[in-house]
Amino acid sequence: MQALGLSLPDCILPLPRFSMNATPPNFASFLSTTSPSKLSLTTKPLIWVHKTPGWRSSHGGSLGVQCATNDDGFYIRKCVELARKAIGFTSPNPLVGCVIVKDGKVVGEGFHPKAGQPHAEISLHCYFKLVWRLDCQVFALRDAGDLAEGATAYVSLEPCNHFGRTPPCTEALVKAKVKKVVVGMVDPNPIVASKGVDRLRDAGIEIVVGVEEELCKSLNEAYIHRMLTGKPFLTLRYSLSLNGNFLDSLGNGVTDCGGYYSRLLQEYDAVILSSSLFSEKLSADSVSASQEPGANQPIRIIIHKDPSSSNQIPLVINKVTDKVIIFIDYRTATSPEVAQQGIETVSLDQINLDVILDYCNRQGLCSVLLDMRGIFNGFEELVKEGIKKKYFNKFVTEIFPIWNGCAEADPLLPLKNLEQGVEVENLRSKASSQSVVVEGYFKF
């Protein structure tokens, strides 16, 4: 990275020269989200404001510096809050929220509700006739143009500047005659990547980029990962006793509305399960559905290596979801019921993560949860492969207040004996009704 010098009274600031080919940062983090990207110079944080009309992110240019107010971070956090309302519905598109502020008042807000529907900025443009203010007692109808003109638009992700299933967000902002746009982060999608920012700047709109950037990155960590790697964001979930033994259990209440497992099912596009869950002693309760209001249920990917469980798969899974695919070993036969009910089946010489993740990517899936329940042997090779090839991004571990014995061989022993150690970072914990859930990120 090269640097230029910008002379200010009593100081010189280095200006970064960005390159579209630069190595992207690690987006999977839960860093502090209380302050925007900044340079310490005065009592107020400084952010880069790109002033030159012809500036492009692939080369240097004349830049100005402006003090960011605390309001910028506040409204971007509000954008993220709005965007979260669509968790589980926008994939493969990102979550995006937008707030329009004029004279210190919120005059419009919106979020991208579903793939193929208007994006956050366009939702605002279409629904500006409803005026939302911080005072919930005050509502008014106003002309859209009058409200937008001269206002500041805050958006968690760079507005798009291309035609897809929806028109460009940038054109809605330009036509609305907003004065300024504050962007949480640049979109890593090559189709967008700074083009939206460039279009707005060329239209004479003041641009600020990188406010609450880490928060905005964590909001769309799965989308960002798929854009940068071409593979879905992969999370490993499992349960342990206090003394580290593997448990084939979910805690009480975790599958209910608001429980961590119910929210995981709402958040992820697909869940990998073992066919051992579909034995005769197990019912549809073994294949939980998200209980969040209006939740979009994930695709169930069944790893089928146990012939004795084949007859139970369609009987159980159809009570939960009709979105199912079964990956089977070529030596394993499936029951006639599977074919009769139109369940997609893929026969492989060897079931592996490469094939599964490539399938998910082709289906446009951004996030996959590998849920280690049932017989652990069905997952052992997949987990080893995920660690060896560094496919795992995140883990979620439910720890039970149990100190149990292990009469049989520890099923986790092959993983504990792996030569390749893995560091983890950004750990967070939260208490459930009868367990503690720890989540974090693999640092390969």
Side-chain angles (χ1 to χ4, degrees), residues 245-415:
N245 289 329
F246 175 76
L247 296 175
D248 179 18
S249 304
L250 289 172
N252 292 337
V254 302
T255 60
D256 297 337
C257 181
Y260 92 90
Y261 192 77
S262 176
R263 293 198 302 270
L264 281 178
L265 295 181
Q266 178 192 33
E267 178 182 350
Y268 282 80
D269 296 334
V271 179
I272 301 175
L273 299 169
S274 169
S275 63
S276 62
L277 281 175
F278 304 94
S279 62
E280 293 182 3
K281 65 179 180 179
L282 297 177
S283 65
D285 294 335
S286 304
V287 188
S288 304
S290 175
Q291 301 302 313
E292 306 310 300
N296 188 23
Q297 301 299 330
I299 294 175
R300 267 52 174 207
I301 297 174
I302 311 301
I303 305 303
H304 183 32
K305 295 182 178 180
D306 180 10
S308 65
S309 64
S310 62
N311 290 331
Q312 299 299 319
I313 293 176
L315 300 178
V316 176
I317 203 71
N318 284 346
K319 297 180 181 180
V320 178
T321 179
D322 58 355
K323 297 181 290 186
V324 182
I325 178 172
I326 303 175
F327 284 88
I328 65 171
D329 187 291
Y330 76 98
R331 294 170 297 233
T332 303
T334 56
S335 66
E337 289 87 347
V338 171
Q340 290 172 3
Q341 297 194 29
I343 297 176
E344 183 178 357
T345 303
V346 177
S347 178
L348 302 171
D349 291 340
Q350 182 179 6
I351 299 174
N352 59 73
L353 276 180
D354 275 319
V355 174
I356 296 172
L357 294 180
D358 285 345
Y359 170 87
C360 292
N361 185 51
R362 291 196 304 271
Q363 297 297 315
L365 307 181
C366 291
S367 56
V368 177
L369 178 70
L370 197 162
D371 187 7
M372 284 174 48
R373 289 191 294 144
I375 299 174
F376 177 75
N377 291 343
F379 289 114
E380 181 179 334
E381 293 305 318
L382 294 183
V383 175
K384 284 182 178 179
E385 180 188 1
I387 293 175
K388 181 179 179 180
K389 296 183 178 180
K390 304 179 181 179
Y391 286 160
F392 286 117
N393 303 102
K394 185 177 180 179
F395 67 89
V396 178
T397 306
E398 185 175 5
I399 303 174
F400 287 78
I402 299 172
W403 191 282
N404 65 340
C406 192
E408 301 178 359
D410 183 359
L412 295 179
L413 189 60
L415 298 183

